Amino acid sequence: VSSYVGRRRVTIPQFMNFNGAILTALFLGISLKVLYPFQCRHNPNGRLSILTSPDVECFVSADYHILVAMAVVGFLVYTVGVLGIAGWATWNYPVWITSNEGIFWFKCTQFLFGRFRPECYFFGILQLVRNFVIALIPIIGVEVEWL
């Protein structure tokens, strides 16, 4: 099954590879945005509010609960989803490169493995985990002024 973009025929592996490249390129930025509601900071009045929205009080405001619910859904769908798919692809990579049927999946996940030598195939998932840890730094260090 193929579709056409302009006059060029786009195959399923090309389509999946393109979307995977976009997802991994935006992974850090979207992970940071999804985790914003968890960045609570003390105000001079003694209450906690979201760092980026000081008018929303943490843990007591109805708006905060809605933001947290949306953040949890975004976290599970995007962050955990991308890490899960990348983990699944990394786990299956050794099987894919030794089988004929694996060529399809290898082409679909070229965005994850194409930048590295074959013996370093797991570096793609390591980069995603590193980016996720970077996205957690503002939450962990929200009270540290120099972060």
Side-chain angles (χ1 to χ4, degrees):
V1 177
S2 300
S3 61
Y4 288 90
V5 176
R7 293 183 178 189
R8 184 174 176 211
R9 187 176 184 191
V10 177
T11 63
I12 290 174
Q14 289 172 333
F15 180 76
M16 291 178 69
N17 189 39
F18 174 77
N19 284 315
I22 296 296
L23 285 174
T24 55
L26 299 176
F27 184 77
L28 178 59
I30 292 176
S31 294
L32 281 167
K33 294 290 184 189
V34 165
L35 297 172
Y36 269 170
F38 301 107
Q39 295 179 9
C40 293
R41 184 177 192 140
H42 284 92
N43 284 330
N45 64 4
R47 294 186 175 159
L48 287 172
S49 66
I50 296 178
L51 183 65
T52 56
S53 301
D55 57 322
V56 179
E57 286 188 52
C58 293
F59 308 110
V60 293
S61 170
D63 291 338
Y64 177 75
H65 295 299
I66 292 169
L67 286 173
V68 167
M70 291 187 329
V72 167
V73 169
F75 177 76
L76 291 175
V77 170
Y78 184 73
T79 306
V80 174
V82 169
L83 284 172
I85 290 170
W88 171 78
T90 303
W91 182 265
N92 288 312
Y93 177 83
V95 174
W96 291 345
I97 61 170
T98 59
S99 71
N100 288 336
E101 294 143 6
I103 294 172
F104 172 81
W105 289 110
F106 178 73
K107 287 180 180 179
C108 291
T109 57
Q110 190 67 27
F111 67 93
L112 196 58
F113 307 116
R115 293 177 286 173
F116 309 108
R117 294 187 315 242
E119 61 272 10
C120 300
Y121 68 92
F122 54 89
F123 281 14
I125 188 76
L126 291 179
Q127 281 187 329
L128 286 174
V129 170
R130 181 204 59 189
N131 288 346
F132 176 66
V133 169
I134 291 171
L136 289 177
I137 289 173
I139 296 171
I140 295 167
V142 75
E143 291 293 331
V144 179
E145 294 295 326
W146 54 270
L147 280 179

